[in-house]
Amino acid sequence: MRPNLGSVQLAASAAWTLSGNDIGTMITAAPRLYPHMWSWDTAFISIGLAHLNVARAARELETLLGAQWRNGMIPHIVFSEGTGYFPGPERWGAAELNADAPNSPRTSGICQPPVHAIALRRIVDIARSQGEREVAFKLLKSAWPKLYRWHEWLVRHRDPLGTGMIAIVHGWESGMDNSPRWDIPYAAVNPGPDLPAYVRLDRGLVAEDAERPSDAEYDRYLWLIEEMRKVRYDADAVVRTSSFLVGDVFVTALFALASEVLATLGEESEQPAWQIRQLRGWARRSRAAVAASHDPLTGLARDRDLRGDHWLSTSTIAGFAPLLCGGLPIDAEKAMLATLTGPDWAGHPELFAQIPPSVSPNDSGFRPREYWRGPVWPVIAWLFGWAFEQRGWLSESDHLRSECLRLAADGSFAEYYHPVTGEPLGSRQQSWTATVVLDWLHCPPG
Ligand code: 9WN
């Protein structure tokens, strides 16, 4: 039978998970499958940590920001001394090839979704509510300029059309690695005969191979790294040459949301007015780009393949991006929210809990065990829940929170879950699952 922990036990178990993943220099994303620090994982990890120890949360975020490249990019992986993950620092060769990459710690050469300002907002609010104003203020002062530079890097190097649509050069940058969103753009990535041989280490660390991307997908992931190595990770050259270049509507929405959040944090900490104005301007432009991607036929937002120069209409959870950042006409927004909570998505009658899965159970491509092709990801639900709360949609946000807690009550803190059975999948004791659970447990319904 599925275990069903009460909230005190669940919170203790989440805290225990985090301390188990704490290797002294960082909290790793997961014990075996991911023995390093991942950019957006760490943003979520620091939110949960703040409930346990604000200073520790600040340190975690600062560790990530300490690995920021000199040009402003926050790398997607900050490597620990641990081994056991492929591709590791040698395969990336970032510091060897690009003078902007730090030598220590070693990092990968791409980025992940810009959710860090949202984490900073949460940590500052939690710190204030605990009377830790001094720690909050110090963190705000040190992190803000770094996050500003990160957002500026995205605008400068990842908005190739100048429309506000933020582009990614690798599926890993979306955080939704093998989502069907990327099937068409990946079909145009042709690994060359000079792809160096490699051995995957992720297989064997999950119950079934089908829970991870396929070998053909991995060849493409690795080939894109080879392409980037050839131009020494020069940001503009990568955008010019990568065979994968996609305007990512979900990343763009997060960027718009996080830029607004960062602007407000800037006002609270007396940052330069021109930078705050700039952030609001970037937010406006990216919000408009998200809204412009709205497909009247499906009612969802779309990614844009910038190599093939066409919209990608694959229906996934990312299509609800406008609900994160706003910007749609009110009727379209209402219809989108109704779709998200309706029978095609979170309200599907067969689901274990009313949480939107990564792909609709009614979609022909729905694969309930296959990584980003169907399972439920608690962190994605957290993002929607948090955004809904900001937007004043309290009953929707509370409902998501209680359904997610019901799903997570098995105490596995799985990386993702089977949407129909609630079975834990992928890694167990995944840090970011433990931390969003901690945040939900500490926040009584609005
Ligand atoms: C590649 C760590 C990361 C998450 C991503 C998730 C997965 C890595 C992988 O794990 O990606 O970056 O090896 O599959 O897709 O969102 O940040 O938890």
Side-chain angles (χ1 to χ4, degrees):
M1 216 179 71
R2 200 174 195 272
N4 190 15
L5 307 190
S7 27
V8 173
Q9 239 185 326
L10 191 59
S13 185
W16 178 252
T17 294
L18 290 178
S19 64
N21 293 348
D22 190 342
I23 57 167
T25 49
M26 62 173 66
I27 292 184
T28 60
R32 286 172 358 110
L33 191 56
Y34 306 119
H36 307 288
M37 173 177 259
W38 262 259
S39 168
W40 76 328
D41 295 54
T42 292
F44 292 106
I45 291 169
S46 64
I47 294 173
L49 273 180
H51 291 291
L52 305 172
N53 179 337
V54 174
R56 181 71 189 81
R59 203 163 81 230
E60 202 61 18
L61 196 59
E62 274 163 355
T63 301
L64 174 70
L65 297 179
Q68 182 169 30
W69 284 29
R70 278 176 277 275
N71 62 8
M73 183 180 81
I74 298 182
H76 111 288
I77 302 177
V78 179
F79 290 106
S80 67
E81 295 301 314
T83 50
Y85 179 81
F86 179 84
E90 296 73 29
R91 183 75 176 215
W92 285 97
E96 291 78 356
L97 294 166
N98 192 303
D100 284 334
N103 274 315
S104 171
R106 315 278 304 270
T107 74
S108 67
I110 56 172
C111 60
Q112 266 191 331
V115 292
H116 313 82
I118 297 171
L120 183 59
R121 170 82 275 165
R122 271 313 277 136
I123 300 170
V124 166
D125 289 346
I126 294 165
R128 286 180 183 155
S129 74
Q130 294 179 355
E132 299 261 22
R133 302 191 82 84
E134 183 64 28
V135 187
F137 194 68
K138 263 179 70 189
L139 174 67
L140 193 46
K141 280 286 187 195
S142 77
W144 199 93
K146 295 175 184 156
L147 292 184
Y148 169 81
R149 291 194 57 234
W150 161 224
H151 283 225
E152 186 193 37
W153 182 86
L154 285 165
V155 171
R156 179 169 303 175
H157 298 293
R158 291 304 185 81
D159 182 4
L161 300 180
T163 59
M165 181 65 113
I166 303 290
I168 58 169
V169 296
H170 196 297
W172 282 341
E173 291 202 315
S174 71
M176 301 188 187
D177 314 6
N178 70 334
S179 168
R181 299 165 73 187
W182 314 134
D183 286 354
I184 293 175
Y186 266 130
V189 175
N190 297 309
D194 49 331
L195 175 68
Y198 66 94
V199 177
R200 289 178 64 171
L201 301 176
D202 56 325
R203 290 272 173 88
L205 293 177
V206 293
E208 286 175 23
D209 279 357
E211 292 175 29
R212 292 285 301 169
S214 68
D215 285 344
E217 285 168 327
Y218 254 75
D219 276 355
R220 295 190 162 104
Y221 302 164
L222 270 301
W223 179 248
L224 290 178
I225 297 178
E226 288 313 304
E227 288 187 340
M228 290 184 229
R229 288 178 55 104
K230 282 179 192 142
V231 294
R232 308 181 78 87
Y233 297 104
D234 175 274
D236 295 327
V238 166
V239 167
R240 271 197 313 275
T241 58
S242 172
S243 27
F244 183 106
L245 185 71
V246 181
D248 179 327
V249 76
F250 199 76
V251 162
T252 303
L254 288 173
F255 176 75
L257 176 60
S259 295
E260 287 290 2
V261 168
L262 196 56
T264 305
L265 286 168
E267 280 157 2
E268 291 171 21
S269 55
E270 295 173 353
Q271 304 293 341
W274 66 272
Q275 291 182 332
I276 295 170
R277 266 199 310 278
Q278 212 172 29
L279 282 162
R280 299 245 188 249
W282 294 339
R284 246 192 324 274
R285 204 169 46 173
S286 287
R287 214 169 22 241
V290 170
S293 79
H294 180 252
D295 183 350
L297 277 179
T298 62
L300 298 183
R302 291 170 290 182
D303 300 302
R304 178 132 192 125
D305 189 339
L306 300 178
R307 284 286 171 255
D309 197 21
H310 53 79
W311 291 113
L312 296 164
S313 310
T314 318
S315 154
T316 71
I317 186 68
F320 297 94
L323 300 179
L324 296 172
C325 64
L328 282 185
I330 191 82
D331 285 352
E333 184 167 274
K334 269 193 181 155
M336 186 176 270
L337 185 59
T339 306
L340 184 75
T341 53
D344 277 342
W345 288 88
H348 190 281
E350 278 165 27
L351 295 191
F352 178 87
Q354 296 191 338
I355 311 168
S358 41
V359 170
S360 162
N362 289 341
D363 194 291
S364 59
F366 175 65
R367 305 276 177 275
R369 315 180 69 86
E370 279 182 34
Y371 216 41
W372 289 96
R373 296 180 182 272
V376 160
W377 290 73
V379 283
I380 300 297
W382 187 93
L383 280 171
F384 280 104
W386 188 80
F388 289 177
E389 198 182 322
Q390 305 307 301
R391 309 199 63 204
W393 303 343
L394 299 187
S395 68
E396 285 81 358
S397 154
D398 287 349
H399 187 63
L400 257 185
R401 169 183 170 277
S402 54
E403 288 295 284
C404 286
L405 284 175
R406 192 156 69 75
L407 177 71
D410 70 335
S412 64
F413 306 111
E415 188 181 6
Y416 44 97
Y417 294 82
H418 191 299
V420 177
T421 63
E423 180 193 349
L425 298 171
S427 168
R428 307 297 191 274
Q429 285 90 41
Q430 180 90 6
S431 296
W432 67 2
T433 308
T435 57
V436 293
V437 166
L438 272 176
D439 196 51
W440 279 316
L441 284 171
H442 278 85
C443 297

